[in-house]
Amino acid sequence: MRSVKQKLILDFIEAFIGERGRPPTVRDIVHGCGLSSTSVADYHLNVLESEGHLRRDKHVSRGIELRGGRRARPGVALVPVIGHIAAGEPLPVPASDTWSVPAGETLEVPEALIRGKKGVYGLRVRGNSMVDALIGDGDIVLMQAGVSVANGDTVAVWLLREKEATLKRIYHEGNRIRLQPANSQMQPIYVPADNVEVQGKVVGVLRLVA
Amino acid sequence: MRSVKQKLILDFIEAFIGERGRPPTVRDIVHGCGLSSTSVADYHLNVLESEGHLRRDKHVSRGIELRGGRRARPGVALVPVIGHIAAGEPLPVPASDTWSVPAGETLEVPEALIRGKKGVYGLRVRGNSMVDALIGDGDIVLMQAGVSVANGDTVAVWLLREKEATLKRIYHEGNRIRLQPANSQMQPIYVPADNVEVQGKVVGVLRLVA
DNA sequence: CCCGGGGAAGAACATTAGTTCTATCACATT
DNA sequence: AATGTGATAGAACTAATGTTCTTCCCCGGG
C-alpha cells in the first residue's frame, strides 16, 4: 500500500459493504473518498488489486471483492504468486515471515495445504522438466522459503553464475550438488555447492483442469 | 411466498452472494433460475419484496438485500471429500445442488478454485493409474458431478456390472467406451456404453508434499 | 362463454457504471 | 535539461443493468 489514499479507499470499501451489503461502484468510491475522477479511482483500484488487497471482476458492476486480513476467511490462506519457474528469469524471494506482497497475483489456497507453514509463496511452472514428479506445465507449486532441505527434495534453486532459476530435485554429493530433473528425457546438472542458492522447497501442488 | 419459483429465486440469491460476495443482477437471476425474461424476474422480485423477504434499492445495480435470517458467507466453499477412487469401493455421489455434507472430511477451498461450478466434491486418489496425467497416489482430485464430458476428459466412472469405480480418461467409440489409464504400464478397458456411469469429471488437483 | 388476475415473453428504453484516452503536474533520477 | 514514474483530471465510449410497456397464455369464477 503506497499511499494514504489507497488505505482510505480500502477502508471505504469495507465500510460500504458492511453498511449496504454490496460492493461500491467506482463512482461510489469517487464520492465517498472525495476523489475527482473515476479514472483516479480506477487507477488506485488497479494498484490495490495488483497488491492483492482486493480482486476485481472485469466488466461487472460492483465487481470488487476484498481480500486479505480484512476479510479473513477461515480455512483460506493467501499466497502470493511471484513468478514463473523453470524459465531463466530472476526469482526474487520474499522474507520468511513478513513480506511486502510484490506486484503480481495473489492466490487463495486451502489452509490445509500449507498448514502452519510460514513463508509460503507460489510459482507458476513453465515447461515439463518435472513431469515425473507429477508437476506439469501450468501447475502452481507452493514453495516454502527458509527451511532445511534434504536429499531428494524438490526445490527451486538459483544458479549464481548462470543466473538461472529452475525447479529440480536436489542431492548433496560431497562439495558438489546434483540437480536432478524428474524427466527421463533430461540429464542431471552437476554444480559446485557454492554456486547454488536454494530459494525454496515444494510443499504443495495446485492444478486447475480446464 | 406464493410459488416455488420464488423460493428458487430466493435460494439463488443467497447462493450467489455466498459465492461472489455481491448480490446478483436481474439478469443473473434470469440465467441462474432458468427464467425467460428480465421482466419475469422483476415481477417476482417485487412480489418477494412486498412480502418482506428482501429489499430492493430502486435504480441501483445489484440493489438486492436479503431480509430475515438468511445470511451468506462469501468466499469459502465447502467441498466434501467423500472417499477414495481407483479402489473397488462404492462411490456415492451427492446431488448436484443441495447436499447434506456426509460424515467425513470436508475440505475448505477458495471459491476461486471452483468458481461457479456446482456439485463439486473431492476424492482421495489411491494407486498410480493416472500418473501420466500427473495425478498420483495420495492426491486429492476435485470432481464435478453432472456435467457433460468430452473425449479425453479425466472422469470417475462407475462400472455397473463390475461394481467398480475408477479414475480414467474417457473416449466414446461408437456404442462402446474406452477407459484409458494415463499410465504406460496399463492397458485400456473397453466397456459397453450402458455399463458405464460417469460420476464426475476432474476439475482440479491438490497435492500436499510431505 | 366471458372475464379478471396471476404469470410469462420479448422488446425497448433510460441510466448506471466499467473502461479508455489524452493531457497535465509534481517529483525524483540521470 | 531531459527523462521516467506516480498520480490526477475530464471527457467520451461501451457495456451492463434496472425499468417499463405491450401482448399473450392459462385457469377458475360468474
Side-chain angles (χ1 to χ4, degrees):
Chain A
M1 191 123 39
R2 298 190 182 99
S3 70
V4 289
K5 189 163 292 188
Q6 285 166 19
K7 173 157 177 45
L8 180 66
I9 291 176
L10 224 39
D11 289 339
F12 173 77
I13 294 173
E14 185 177 21
F16 192 101
I17 294 177
E19 292 167 14
R20 321 262 199 122
R22 60 175 175 266
T25 66
V26 175
R27 285 168 178 81
D28 286 334
I29 296 173
V30 167
H31 297 144
C33 297
L35 307 182
S36 51
S37 171
T38 58
S39 63
V40 176
D42 188 65
Y43 171 79
H44 288 295
L45 285 174
N46 284 141
V47 173
L48 288 168
E49 179 177 28
S50 73
E51 288 178 350
H53 292 103
L54 51 83
R55 204 176 61 70
R56 296 184 77 187
D57 262 328
K58 305 279 184 197
H59 307 290
V60 169
S61 74
R62 304 176 190 276
I64 297 176
E65 193 179 329
L66 288 184
R67 289 276 205 103
R70 295 165 177 281
R71 281 282 175 275
R73 294 158 187 151
V76 174
L78 289 181
V79 172
V81 179
I82 61 176
H84 299 262
I85 188 67
E89 302 170 19
L91 174 63
V93 170
S96 296
D97 41 6
T98 58
W99 51 33
S100 57
V101 179
E105 199 179 348
T106 305
L107 185 69
E108 292 175 325
V109 304
E111 248 297 328
L113 277 189
I114 62 172
R115 204 116 193 108
K117 299 190 179 71
K118 291 293 179 189
V120 175
Y121 58 97
L123 292 176
R124 265 217 170 64
V125 175
R126 258 183 201 167
N128 285 327
S129 64
M130 296 302 288
V131 287
D132 289 351
L134 306 185
I135 297 173
D137 189 74
D139 289 3
I140 291 176
V141 286
L142 300 180
M143 312 292 303
Q144 185 176 15
V147 291
S148 64
V149 298
N151 277 342
D153 280 351
T154 302
V155 296
V157 294
W158 174 249
L159 301 179
L160 298 173
R161 246 186 298 286
E162 291 81 355
K163 297 199 188 311
E164 279 186 10
T166 50
L167 194 64
K168 295 278 188 302
R169 286 223 172 93
I170 190 170
Y171 295 91
H172 300 268
E173 300 182 341
N175 56 358
R176 72 171 187 179
I177 283 177
R178 171 162 56 97
L179 298 177
Q180 180 73 52
N183 183 329
S184 56
Q185 312 290 314
M186 303 175 70
Q187 295 303 312
I189 302 173
Y190 296 92
V191 290
D194 61 2
N195 189 33
V196 173
E197 210 174 86
V198 176
Q199 303 279 7
K201 170 176 163 183
V202 171
V203 295
V205 181
L206 202 49
R207 183 184 315 140
L208 281 191
V209 179
Chain B
M1 194 120 39
R2 298 192 183 103
S3 71
V4 290
K5 189 164 289 187
Q6 286 165 20
K7 171 158 178 49
L8 181 66
I9 291 177
L10 224 40
D11 288 340
F12 173 79
I13 295 173
E14 185 176 19
F16 192 101
I17 295 177
E19 290 166 16
R20 324 280 264 261
R22 60 175 175 266
T25 66
V26 175
R27 283 168 180 82
D28 287 333
I29 296 173
V30 167
H31 296 144
C33 297
L35 307 182
S36 51
S37 171
T38 58
S39 62
V40 177
D42 188 67
Y43 171 80
H44 288 295
L45 285 175
N46 285 140
V47 173
L48 286 168
E49 180 175 26
S50 72
E51 289 177 350
H53 291 103
L54 52 82
R55 207 175 56 74
R56 293 184 81 185
D57 264 330
K58 301 287 180 193
H59 306 288
V60 169
S61 74
R62 303 175 190 278
I64 297 176
E65 192 180 331
L66 288 183
R67 283 301 184 79
R70 310 178 79 104
R71 258 278 179 84
R73 198 152 298 174
V76 178
L78 293 181
V79 173
V81 179
I82 61 176
H84 299 261
I85 188 65
E89 303 169 19
L91 174 64
V93 171
S96 295
D97 41 8
T98 58
W99 52 32
S100 56
V101 178
E105 197 179 351
T106 304
L107 186 65
E108 289 177 324
V109 304
E111 255 297 327
L113 279 189
I114 61 175
R115 204 146 195 87
K117 299 190 179 73
K118 290 294 179 189
V120 174
Y121 58 97
L123 292 175
R124 265 220 167 62
V125 174
R126 250 183 210 168
N128 284 332
S129 64
M130 293 304 288
V131 287
D132 289 350
L134 306 185
I135 298 173
D137 189 74
D139 289 1
I140 291 177
V141 286
L142 297 180
M143 312 291 304
Q144 184 177 16
V147 291
S148 65
V149 298
N151 276 343
D153 280 351
T154 301
V155 297
V157 295
W158 175 249
L159 301 179
L160 296 172
R161 245 186 299 286
E162 292 81 356
K163 296 198 190 309
E164 280 185 7
T166 50
L167 193 64
K168 296 276 189 301
R169 287 224 172 92
I170 191 171
Y171 295 90
H172 300 266
E173 299 182 341
N175 56 359
R176 72 173 185 177
I177 283 178
R178 171 162 57 96
L179 298 176
Q180 180 74 50
N183 184 329
S184 54
Q185 312 290 314
M186 304 173 69
Q187 295 304 313
I189 302 173
Y190 295 92
V191 291
D194 61 1
N195 189 35
V196 174
E197 208 175 271
V198 176
Q199 303 279 6
K201 168 177 167 182
V202 172
V203 294
V205 181
L206 296 180
R207 184 184 314 141
L208 186 51
V209 177

